[in-house]
Amino acid sequence: MTAGPAVAGQVRRKLRVGVLATAVTAALALLCCVGGAGAFFLTELGGDGDDPKLAALSCDPAYQVNLTGDMPRFAEYGERQLRNAAVIIKVGQDMKVPARGWVIALATAMQESALRNLANSTVPASLALPHEGVGADHDSLGLFQQRPGWGSVEQRMTPSYTARKFYQKMVKVPNWQQRPLTVVAQQVQVSAYPDAYAKHEELAGRIVDALAGGAARTVEIAGKAVCDAAAGDRIAASGWTAPLPGGVVSGFRTTARPSHHGVDLAASKGTPIHAASAGRVLVARCDPDSAGRKDCDRDGWPNKGGCGWFVDILHAGGFITRYCHMVERPRVVPGQSVAAGEVIGLSGSSGNSSGPHLHFEVHRNGDRSSNGADNPVPFMRKRGAPLGETE
């Protein structure tokens, strides 16, 4: 068990999280931790918080999106844009595309057109059709900025047509439900900025939840959408999964352990640990204990200090996940891109630990310190990947 690294002489710089490939720009120095008194020199990377109105949203796999009813409110988009989002989701439902595809399609349209049906100043015929703005990217049109090979001007200016064409190509991408959103979107769009789609994934999932009855919390199991059952290599439509199936044995900042900035998940030694979402590895190394020792290749003990072998991963939206007490050197290295569900190491008892388990943390706004720590239990439940509650 561990309280996780805390802040000593905080050194925090604000960076804007956009493209994951360029987010890892600051030197990261891990010092030590013991009972929450250990230290990191930390970098804050920015990001947006969750929309509180979705916190209690139920999950209904059979829910059908309503194209004409009242739209939920999001600060980022107006009613017209959300109706376009509803059309994209409705087409996916009609085509029986799993909800993960709706999130990918929304994130793609968010990047390409900000969910606006764009005409083009270089395509005069498009200006005579209903539109919500005028672009000038080559001869691209519509929500997905599709070029002439995708259809006629009128077809490309029809939201339902463009969504259908996107899905038809997306589902042909091998293993698309398990691959990072950026990879799948790029396979369809062939964009000059392939990593730009990532920054929209979190908000796209929240919009899918709001418009489609919590569908971003579902995962496809045996061809059926199941709520709150993402774990390991089963990825929820939100893009998240529980790192392992063990239940919570020690909670977040409890009365007994107020400096416990994560949760401990039951796991026998050698249990595979999966990346909770796609992202880029920030740290993968041995955390020195309170005496400065880097002896993570043996079991630790209570009050030893340190996370043992551990990994930090930066995800879309500025979220960071931390995985402590691995039994051996992690299977990933700093700077490496990982897919959701990818095995990043094996559970163990290195560092400040009384027995094999996984200490798991979630941090917001790119803040790796205790100030950025969030309770992983409600965080993961909202994304369809409850900790220790999978079926």
Side-chain angles (χ1 to χ4, degrees):
M1 294 177 285
T2 181
V7 177
Q10 295 178 359
V11 178
R12 300 167 59 198
R13 295 191 304 273
K14 290 281 186 180
L15 296 177
R16 194 173 297 275
V17 173
V19 180
L20 286 175
T22 61
V24 186
T25 60
L28 304 170
L30 176 62
L31 299 181
C32 65
C33 67
V34 53
F40 268 117
F41 286 113
L42 299 161
T43 299
E44 189 170 345
L45 300 170
D48 298 326
D50 276 0
D51 185 339
K53 69 177 177 291
L54 302 180
L57 193 65
S58 62
C59 181
D60 178 7
Y63 188 95
Q64 291 296 304
V65 67
N66 186 347
L67 299 181
T68 60
D70 293 337
M71 291 291 109
R73 293 185 179 180
F74 283 83
E76 298 85 352
Y77 295 112
E79 180 180 347
R80 182 62 262 176
Q81 292 160 296
L82 288 170
R83 290 197 186 280
N84 287 333
V87 169
I88 292 171
I89 296 171
K90 181 64 165 60
V91 171
Q93 289 181 330
D94 291 345
M95 294 177 67
K96 302 190 184 308
V97 173
R100 177 62 179 159
W102 315 344
V103 174
I104 294 171
L106 279 191
T108 302
M110 290 159 71
Q111 172 62 25
E112 297 291 351
S113 68
L115 293 175
R116 295 177 298 157
N117 192 26
L118 296 179
N120 192 311
S121 58
T122 68
V123 185
S126 69
L127 299 172
L129 297 169
H131 58 277
E132 296 146 9
V134 179
D137 181 11
H138 300 287
D139 47 14
S140 301
L141 299 174
L143 291 176
F144 293 91
Q145 289 293 276
Q146 293 167 344
R147 303 194 69 182
W150 291 82
S152 68
V153 171
E154 184 175 4
Q155 288 172 327
R156 289 181 288 145
M157 290 296 295
T158 303
S160 59
Y161 173 89
T162 59
R164 181 172 294 275
K165 295 297 287 186
F166 179 87
Y167 286 128
Q168 287 173 344
K169 190 169 182 179
M170 182 199 70
V171 297
K172 294 179 181 178
V173 176
N175 201 33
W176 67 267
Q177 290 196 68
Q178 278 70 45
R179 300 178 74 178
L181 181 148
T182 51
V183 172
V184 179
Q186 176 64 3
Q187 287 283 314
V188 178
Q189 297 295 110
V190 194
S191 169
Y193 306 99
D195 292 324
Y197 301 109
K199 63 179 176 284
H200 302 288
E201 184 169 14
E202 177 70 14
L203 180 55
R206 289 194 280 133
I207 291 174
V208 166
D209 273 341
L211 293 175
R217 287 167 50 185
T218 63
V219 62
E220 289 289 304
I221 300 176
K224 293 184 177 181
V226 181
C227 294
D228 302 330
D233 58 3
R234 297 192 316 219
I235 315 303
S238 65
W240 289 80
T241 186
L244 47 73
V248 176
V249 294
S250 185
F252 177 80
R253 293 177 180 169
T254 62
T255 301
R257 305 179 70 194
S259 296
H260 193 233
H261 304 305
V263 295
D264 292 341
L265 303 178
S268 58
K269 186 177 290 187
T271 301
I273 300 170
H274 301 260
S277 187
R280 185 169 295 276
V281 177
L282 296 176
V283 178
R285 63 183 182 195
C286 177
D287 183 9
D289 66 14
S290 55
R293 293 169 296 206
K294 296 183 179 180
D295 55 352
C296 295
D297 284 325
R298 62 170 177 164
D299 288 348
W301 56 86
N303 299 318
K304 183 181 193 300
C307 265
W309 288 115
F310 85 108
V311 170
D312 278 4
I313 301 175
L314 172 66
H315 309 282
F319 299 109
I320 293 173
T321 53
R322 176 173 294 154
Y323 314 77
C324 295
H325 307 314
M326 294 181 180
V327 70
E328 61 188 18
R329 183 181 296 275
R331 296 186 180 183
V332 293
V333 296
Q336 178 180 337
S337 293
V338 295
E342 183 174 339
V343 175
I344 60 173
L346 303 175
S347 64
S349 191
S350 59
N352 192 66
S353 174
S354 59
H357 69 284
L358 170 65
H359 176 81
F360 178 65
E361 296 183 15
V362 173
H363 293 249
R364 293 179 180 271
N365 302 324
D367 187 348
R368 299 173 63 236
S369 76
S370 59
N371 291 333
D374 193 13
N375 189 341
V377 173
F379 180 93
M380 296 298 288
R381 186 183 298 121
K382 284 173 60 178
R383 287 154 180 81
L387 301 174
E389 301 169 340
T390 55
E391 297 176 355

